[in-house]
Amino acid sequence: MFQISAYGDAGLRVQFGETISKETNEKIRSFCMYLEKEKIPGVMEWIPTYTSVSIIYDPYQLLYDALKERVEAVENQLSKIDLPAAEVVKIPVLYGGEKGPDLEQVAQLNGLSEEEVISIHSGSDYLIYMMGFIPGFPYLGGMSEKIATPRLSTPRSAIPAGSVGIAGEQTGIYPLESPGGWQIIGQTPLKLYNPDQESPILLRAGNYIRFVPITSEEYHTIASEIEAGSYIRKY
Amino acid sequence: MGKLFEVIKSGLATSVQDLGRTGFQQYGVVVSGAMDSFALQVANLLVGNLRDEAGLEVVIMGPELFVLEDTVLAICGADLSPKLDGKPVAGWKSFIAKKGQRLSFGQPQNGSYAYIAAAGGINTPPVMGSRSTYTKAGIGGFEGRHLQKGDRLEAGEVKFPLKHLSGRGLFEPAVPNYARQRKIRVVLGPDQHSFKDDVLKKFCTSTFKMTSQSDRMGYRLEGPELSHVNGADIISDAILPGAIQVPASGQPIILLADRQTTGGYARIATVVSSDLPYVVQKLSGSELEFQAVSVEKAQRLYVSRELLLRKLSLRAGNML
């Protein structure tokens, strides 16, 4: 599938599939790679999602028909674009206790021990399908159904930044303190969103995440190293 | 660089805004920026700034500001009854404000968002290339928040003598009249196939009302129910400015400056860029009607607005 449509007067949307799949994600990565390299004059930025890429452009420099023609010509080249190997970003997580108040409930509802939940959650890699919702938030795929848990019936008014949670069959990390109804099973000391850094966003669509369980001591060491600016990613 | 204002009264939600934090939407970073970007750009040009400098966004109830050094100001967008030392000042026109004078606002007359531009621009530390305030993440502008009593703002470098900058105005026919009832032009889609033809027709022929649940993120409308063919939910997809989402309630939401980068509701249509100010400047309770236009027509409107801004830039003696 490769379907182009107008999105307002300054947007062009290309749809690559109708369901969430790794194949569609790969096409989307290739297409974004093309946009990155090609630097089409008038194209300002783009938003890749599960099944599409929306290009934002300046109609003063580039009209819809011209951009459409240019994009159409890319369809057959997509498979020839060399994708760099996906990176696996390791995210250290302190599971349970104060940092993961819902771990016990997730375990109970799924008939597992807390240790089993941790080992399942940290036992596989998660593809980052897209970023969105709030700055630095990754939409992840690939969580085991064995630890799927419904959202809290009453959302919390403030969940700390770095919280790792489960909502239905999805897992995710909160980049900012925000209200929410996810079951919080742990917290990472890493900052997914740090506007003061040269590269303010830690994660990229198309890469993978692997959660690595850490101890409370490790958590505090990493947190204070990050605070001091001396942290070197070792996971 | 110099002193500019001390805030005496904060106003309802006064914030520093430029044209937004663009370039990071693929990482989920919200753009923010002026709700009415046309008004901010004109205000900047009138005081000799580049179009994308930061100004103050003033919402319905304006602030009271004490002028710390002589400067030139312009107030564009909504008419919120601006006054200098109690005397009314005209909108869409630059004027000198002297050290010790007070800029204040009165009753809102026409529209809801006004922009104060000052010669040299408002100088705050840029965050990811922009001075726009995004209060939800607490970034940009003045400490990532709305202005408060006692805040002191600085201006950037002023490139021209002040007397050359004052008394410049936007020519009358180009000044938008927000009160005039006019249809809001949209390009249908990208999810027009989530709606039957008669629902699309209903969307383009009915009158909607702006509700009080409206803010910088989006305006919620109330009107005849717009039903979906196959449910309201879509696989999360990009949200561009002016996109009109229809959740399961069938009541549309127009997404604006502080919109999230992605969303999960079908988008029936997208407001054309040149008509966004006429949406933004509505007050809750006012009525909206939509008219579908082709992409070609929408882009002609875009280009003619851009030409106007470029003409103003040249006339103001600014580089583009």
Side-chain angles (χ1 to χ4, degrees), chain B residues 7-66:
Chain B
V7 179
I8 306 293
K9 282 184 195 153
S10 64
L12 182 62
T14 311
S15 66
V16 176
Q17 299 291 345
D18 57 18
L19 295 183
R21 196 162 283 111
T22 52
F24 302 96
Q25 290 186 76
Q26 58 176 301
Y27 309 122
V29 178
V30 169
V31 174
S32 310
M35 286 283 274
D36 182 343
S37 64
F38 179 76
L40 173 66
Q41 291 180 76
V42 173
N44 270 322
L45 291 172
L46 294 177
V47 300
N49 295 345
L50 295 176
R51 285 159 60 174
D52 59 356
E53 303 275 2
L56 289 184
E57 183 175 270
V58 170
V59 192
I60 303 171
M61 301 298 292
E64 186 175 329
L65 304 169
F66 183 80

Coordinates of all heavy atoms in Angstrom, one line a residue, chain B residues 7-66:
Chain B
V7 N 5.8 43.2 35.2 CA 4.4 42.9 35.3 C 3.8 43.4 36.5 O 4.2 43.0 37.6 CB 4.2 41.3 35.1 CG1 2.8 40.9 35.2 CG2 4.9 40.8 33.9
I8 N 2.7 44.2 36.4 CA 2.0 44.7 37.6 C 0.8 43.8 37.8 O 0.5 43.5 39.0 CB 1.5 46.2 37.3 CG1 2.6 47.1 36.8 CG2 0.8 46.7 38.5 CD1 3.7 47.4 37.9
K9 N 0.1 43.5 36.7 CA -1.0 42.5 36.9 C -0.8 41.5 35.8 O -0.5 41.8 34.6 CB -2.4 43.2 36.6 CG -2.9 43.9 37.9 CD -4.3 44.5 37.6 CE -4.7 45.5 38.6 NZ -5.7 46.5 38.0
S10 N -1.0 40.2 36.1 CA -0.7 39.1 35.1 C -1.6 39.0 33.9 O -1.2 38.6 32.9 CB -0.6 37.8 35.8 OG -1.9 37.5 36.3
G11 N -2.9 39.4 34.1 CA -3.9 39.1 33.1 C -4.3 37.6 33.2 O -3.8 36.9 34.1
L12 N -5.2 37.2 32.3 CA -5.8 35.8 32.4 C -4.7 34.7 32.2 O -4.6 33.8 32.9 CB -6.9 35.7 31.4 CG -7.7 34.4 31.4 CD1 -8.4 34.1 32.7 CD2 -8.7 34.4 30.3
A13 N -4.0 34.8 31.1 CA -3.0 33.8 30.7 C -2.0 34.4 29.7 O -2.0 34.0 28.6 CB -3.7 32.6 30.1
T14 N -1.3 35.4 30.2 CA -0.3 36.0 29.3 C 0.9 35.2 29.2 O 1.5 34.8 30.2 CB 0.0 37.4 29.9 OG1 -1.2 38.1 30.3 CG2 0.8 38.3 29.0
S15 N 1.4 35.0 28.0 CA 2.6 34.1 27.8 C 3.5 34.6 26.7 O 3.0 35.3 25.8 CB 2.2 32.7 27.6 OG 1.5 32.5 26.3
V16 N 4.7 34.3 26.7 CA 5.7 34.6 25.6 C 5.5 33.5 24.5 O 5.4 32.3 24.8 CB 7.1 34.5 26.2 CG1 8.1 34.7 25.0 CG2 7.3 35.5 27.3
Q17 N 5.3 34.0 23.3 CA 5.1 33.0 22.2 C 5.8 33.5 21.0 O 5.8 34.7 20.7 CB 3.6 32.8 21.8 CG 2.7 32.3 22.9 CD 3.0 30.8 23.3 OE1 3.7 30.1 22.5 NE2 2.5 30.4 24.4
D18 N 6.4 32.6 20.2 CA 6.9 33.0 18.9 C 6.1 32.1 17.9 O 5.0 31.7 18.1 CB 8.4 32.9 18.7 CG 9.0 31.5 19.1 OD1 8.2 30.5 19.1 OD2 10.2 31.4 19.4
L19 N 6.8 31.7 16.8 CA 6.0 30.9 15.8 C 6.1 29.4 16.1 O 5.7 28.5 15.3 CB 6.5 31.2 14.4 CG 6.2 32.6 13.9 CD1 6.6 32.8 12.5 CD2 4.7 33.0 14.1
G20 N 6.6 29.0 17.3 CA 6.5 27.6 17.7 C 7.8 26.8 17.6 O 8.8 27.2 17.0
R21 N 7.8 25.7 18.3 CA 9.0 24.8 18.5 C 8.9 23.8 17.4 O 8.5 22.6 17.6 CB 8.9 24.3 19.9 CG 10.2 23.6 20.4 CD 10.2 23.5 21.9 NE 10.5 24.8 22.5 CZ 9.6 25.5 23.2 NH1 8.4 25.1 23.4 NH2 9.9 26.7 23.7
T22 N 9.2 24.2 16.2 CA 9.0 23.2 15.1 C 10.3 22.4 14.9 O 11.4 22.7 15.4 CB 8.8 24.0 13.7 OG1 9.8 24.9 13.6 CG2 7.4 24.7 13.8
G23 N 10.1 21.3 14.1 CA 11.3 20.4 13.8 C 11.4 19.2 14.7 O 12.3 18.3 14.4
F24 N 10.6 19.1 15.7 CA 10.8 18.0 16.6 C 9.5 17.2 16.8 O 9.3 16.4 17.7 CB 11.2 18.4 18.0 CG 12.5 19.2 18.0 CD1 12.5 20.6 18.0 CD2 13.7 18.5 18.1 CE1 13.7 21.3 18.0 CE2 14.9 19.2 18.1 CZ 14.9 20.6 18.0
Q25 N 8.5 17.4 15.8 CA 7.2 16.7 16.0 C 7.4 15.2 15.8 O 6.6 14.5 16.4 CB 6.2 17.3 14.9 CG 5.8 18.7 15.3 CD 4.7 19.2 14.3 OE1 3.6 18.8 14.5 NE2 5.1 20.0 13.4
Q26 N 8.4 14.7 15.1 CA 8.5 13.3 14.9 C 9.0 12.6 16.3 O 8.9 11.4 16.4 CB 9.5 12.9 13.8 CG 10.9 13.5 14.0 CD 11.8 13.0 12.9 OE1 12.0 11.8 12.7 NE2 12.4 14.0 12.1
Y27 N 9.4 13.4 17.2 CA 9.7 12.9 18.6 C 8.6 13.2 19.6 O 8.8 13.1 20.8 CB 11.0 13.5 19.1 CG 12.1 13.4 18.0 CD1 12.8 14.5 17.5 CD2 12.5 12.1 17.5 CE1 13.8 14.4 16.6 CE2 13.5 12.0 16.6 CZ 14.1 13.1 16.1 OH 15.1 13.0 15.1
G28 N 7.5 13.7 19.1 CA 6.4 14.0 20.0 C 6.4 15.3 20.6 O 5.6 15.6 21.6
V29 N 7.3 16.2 20.2 CA 7.4 17.5 20.8 C 6.3 18.5 20.3 O 6.3 18.7 19.1 CB 8.8 18.1 20.7 CG1 8.9 19.5 21.3 CG2 9.8 17.2 21.3
V30 N 5.5 18.9 21.2 CA 4.4 19.8 20.9 C 4.9 21.2 20.3 O 5.9 21.7 20.9 CB 3.5 20.0 22.1 CG1 2.5 21.1 22.0 CG2 2.9 18.7 22.5
V31 N 4.3 21.7 19.3 CA 4.8 22.9 18.6 C 4.6 24.2 19.4 O 5.4 25.0 19.6 CB 4.2 23.0 17.2 CG1 4.6 24.4 16.6 CG2 4.7 21.9 16.3
S32 N 3.4 24.3 20.0 CA 3.0 25.6 20.7 C 3.1 26.8 19.8 O 2.9 26.7 18.6 CB 3.8 25.8 21.9 OG 3.8 24.7 22.7
G33 N 3.5 28.0 20.3 CA 3.6 29.1 19.4 C 2.3 29.9 19.5 O 1.3 29.5 20.1
A34 N 2.3 31.1 18.8 CA 1.1 32.0 18.8 C -0.1 31.3 18.3 O 0.0 30.6 17.2 CB 1.4 33.2 18.0
M35 N -1.2 31.5 18.9 CA -2.5 30.9 18.4 C -2.9 31.6 17.1 O -3.3 30.9 16.2 CB -3.6 31.2 19.5 CG -3.5 30.3 20.7 SD -4.1 28.6 20.3 CE -5.9 28.8 20.6
D36 N -2.7 32.9 17.0 CA -2.9 33.7 15.8 C -1.6 34.1 15.3 O -1.1 35.2 15.6 CB -3.9 34.8 16.1 CG -4.2 35.6 14.8 OD1 -3.5 35.5 13.8 OD2 -5.2 36.4 14.9
S37 N -1.0 33.3 14.4 CA 0.4 33.6 14.0 C 0.4 34.8 13.0 O 1.4 35.5 12.9 CB 1.0 32.4 13.3 OG 0.3 32.0 12.2
F38 N -0.7 35.1 12.3 CA -0.7 36.2 11.4 C -0.6 37.5 12.2 O 0.3 38.4 11.9 CB -2.0 36.2 10.6 CG -2.1 37.4 9.7 CD1 -1.4 37.5 8.5 CD2 -2.9 38.5 10.0 CE1 -1.5 38.6 7.6 CE2 -3.1 39.6 9.2 CZ -2.4 39.6 8.0
A39 N -1.3 37.6 13.3 CA -1.3 38.8 14.2 C 0.1 39.0 14.8 O 0.6 40.2 14.8 CB -2.4 38.7 15.3
L40 N 0.7 37.9 15.3 CA 2.0 38.1 15.9 C 3.0 38.5 14.8 O 3.9 39.4 15.1 CB 2.5 36.8 16.5 CG 4.0 36.8 17.0 CD1 4.1 37.8 18.1 CD2 4.5 35.4 17.4
Q41 N 3.0 38.0 13.6 CA 3.9 38.3 12.6 C 3.8 39.8 12.1 O 4.8 40.5 12.0 CB 3.8 37.4 11.3 CG 4.2 36.0 11.6 CD 4.0 35.1 10.4 OE1 4.8 35.2 9.5 NE2 3.0 34.3 10.4
V42 N 2.5 40.3 12.0 CA 2.3 41.7 11.6 C 2.8 42.6 12.8 O 3.5 43.6 12.5 CB 0.8 42.0 11.3 CG1 0.6 43.4 11.1 CG2 0.4 41.2 10.1
A43 N 2.5 42.2 14.0 CA 3.0 43.1 15.2 C 4.5 43.2 15.1 O 5.1 44.3 15.3 CB 2.5 42.4 16.5
N44 N 5.2 42.1 14.9 CA 6.7 42.1 14.8 C 7.1 43.0 13.7 O 8.1 43.8 13.9 CB 7.2 40.7 14.6 CG 7.5 39.9 15.8 OD1 7.9 40.5 16.8 ND2 7.2 38.6 15.9
L45 N 6.6 42.9 12.5 CA 7.0 43.7 11.4 C 6.8 45.2 11.7 O 7.6 46.0 11.3 CB 6.3 43.3 10.1 CG 6.7 41.9 9.6 CD1 5.8 41.5 8.5 CD2 8.1 41.9 9.2
L46 N 5.7 45.5 12.3 CA 5.4 46.9 12.6 C 6.5 47.6 13.5 O 6.7 48.8 13.5 CB 4.0 47.1 13.2 CG 2.9 46.8 12.2 CD1 1.5 46.9 13.0 CD2 2.9 47.7 11.0
V47 N 7.1 46.8 14.4 CA 8.1 47.3 15.3 C 9.5 47.0 14.8 O 10.5 47.2 15.6 CB 7.9 46.9 16.8 CG1 6.6 47.3 17.3 CG2 8.1 45.3 16.9
G48 N 9.7 46.6 13.6 CA 11.0 46.4 13.0 C 11.7 45.1 13.3 O 12.9 45.0 13.1
N49 N 10.9 44.2 13.8 CA 11.4 42.8 14.1 C 11.3 41.9 12.9 O 10.5 42.1 12.0 CB 10.7 42.2 15.3 CG 10.9 42.9 16.6 OD1 11.8 43.8 16.7 ND2 10.0 42.6 17.5
L50 N 12.0 40.8 13.0 CA 11.8 39.7 12.0 C 10.4 39.1 12.4 O 10.0 39.2 13.5 CB 12.9 38.6 12.1 CG 14.3 39.1 11.7 CD1 15.3 38.0 11.9 CD2 14.2 39.5 10.2
R51 N 9.8 38.4 11.4 CA 8.5 37.8 11.7 C 8.4 36.8 12.8 O 7.4 36.7 13.4 CB 8.0 37.1 10.4 CG 7.6 38.1 9.3 CD 7.6 37.5 7.9 NE 6.7 36.3 7.8 CZ 6.5 35.7 6.7 NH1 7.1 36.1 5.6 NH2 5.7 34.7 6.7
D52 N 9.5 36.1 13.1 CA 9.4 35.0 14.0 C 9.9 35.4 15.4 O 10.2 34.5 16.2 CB 10.1 33.8 13.5 CG 11.6 34.0 13.1 OD1 12.0 35.2 13.3 OD2 12.3 33.1 12.8
E53 N 10.1 36.7 15.7 CA 10.5 37.0 17.1 C 9.4 36.7 18.1 O 8.3 36.5 17.7 CB 10.8 38.5 17.2 CG 11.8 39.1 16.2 CD 13.3 38.9 16.7 OE1 13.5 38.4 17.8 OE2 14.1 39.4 16.0
A54 N 9.8 36.6 19.3 CA 8.8 36.3 20.4 C 8.1 37.6 20.8 O 8.7 38.7 20.9 CB 9.4 35.7 21.6
G55 N 6.8 37.5 21.0 CA 6.0 38.6 21.6 C 5.2 38.1 22.8 O 5.4 36.9 23.2
L56 N 4.3 38.9 23.3 CA 3.5 38.5 24.4 C 2.1 38.1 23.9 O 1.5 39.0 23.2 CB 3.3 39.6 25.5 CG 4.6 39.8 26.3 CD1 4.2 40.9 27.4 CD2 5.1 38.6 27.0
E57 N 1.6 37.0 24.2 CA 0.2 36.6 23.9 C -0.7 36.9 25.0 O -0.4 36.5 26.2 CB 0.1 35.1 23.6 CG -1.2 34.7 23.1 CD -1.3 33.2 22.7 OE1 -1.1 32.9 21.5 OE2 -1.5 32.3 23.6
V58 N -1.7 37.7 24.7 CA -2.6 38.2 25.8 C -4.0 37.6 25.5 O -4.5 37.7 24.3 CB -2.7 39.7 25.6 CG1 -3.8 40.3 26.5 CG2 -1.3 40.4 26.0
V59 N -4.6 37.0 26.5 CA -5.9 36.3 26.3 C -7.0 37.0 27.0 O -7.0 37.0 28.2 CB -5.8 34.8 26.7 CG1 -6.9 34.0 26.2 CG2 -4.5 34.2 26.3
I60 N -8.0 37.5 26.3 CA -9.2 38.1 26.8 C -9.1 39.2 27.9 O -9.4 40.3 27.6 CB -10.2 37.0 27.3 CG1 -10.5 36.0 26.1 CG2 -11.6 37.6 27.7 CD1 -11.3 34.8 26.5
M61 N -8.5 38.8 29.0 CA -8.3 39.8 30.1 C -6.8 40.1 30.1 O -6.0 39.3 30.5 CB -8.7 39.3 31.4 CG -10.2 38.9 31.5 SD -11.3 40.2 31.3 CE -11.0 41.2 32.7
G62 N -6.4 41.3 29.6 CA -5.0 41.6 29.4 C -4.3 41.9 30.7 O -4.9 42.2 31.8
P63 N -3.0 42.0 30.7 CA -2.1 42.3 31.8 C -2.0 43.8 32.0 O -2.5 44.6 31.2 CB -0.8 41.7 31.5 CG -0.7 41.9 30.0 CD -2.1 41.7 29.5
E64 N -1.3 44.2 33.1 CA -0.9 45.6 33.2 C 0.6 45.5 33.3 O 1.2 44.8 34.1 CB -1.5 46.2 34.5 CG -1.1 47.7 34.5 CD -1.8 48.4 35.7 OE1 -3.0 48.0 36.1 OE2 -1.2 49.4 36.2
L65 N 1.3 46.3 32.4 CA 2.7 46.2 32.3 C 3.3 47.6 32.5 O 2.9 48.6 32.0 CB 3.1 45.7 30.9 CG 2.5 44.4 30.5 CD1 2.8 44.1 29.0 CD2 3.1 43.2 31.4
F66 N 4.4 47.7 33.3 CA 5.1 48.9 33.6 C 6.3 49.0 32.7 O 7.1 48.0 32.6 CB 5.6 48.9 35.1 CG 6.3 50.2 35.5 CD1 5.5 51.3 35.8 CD2 7.7 50.2 35.6 CE1 6.2 52.5 36.2 CE2 8.3 51.4 36.0 CZ 7.6 52.5 36.3

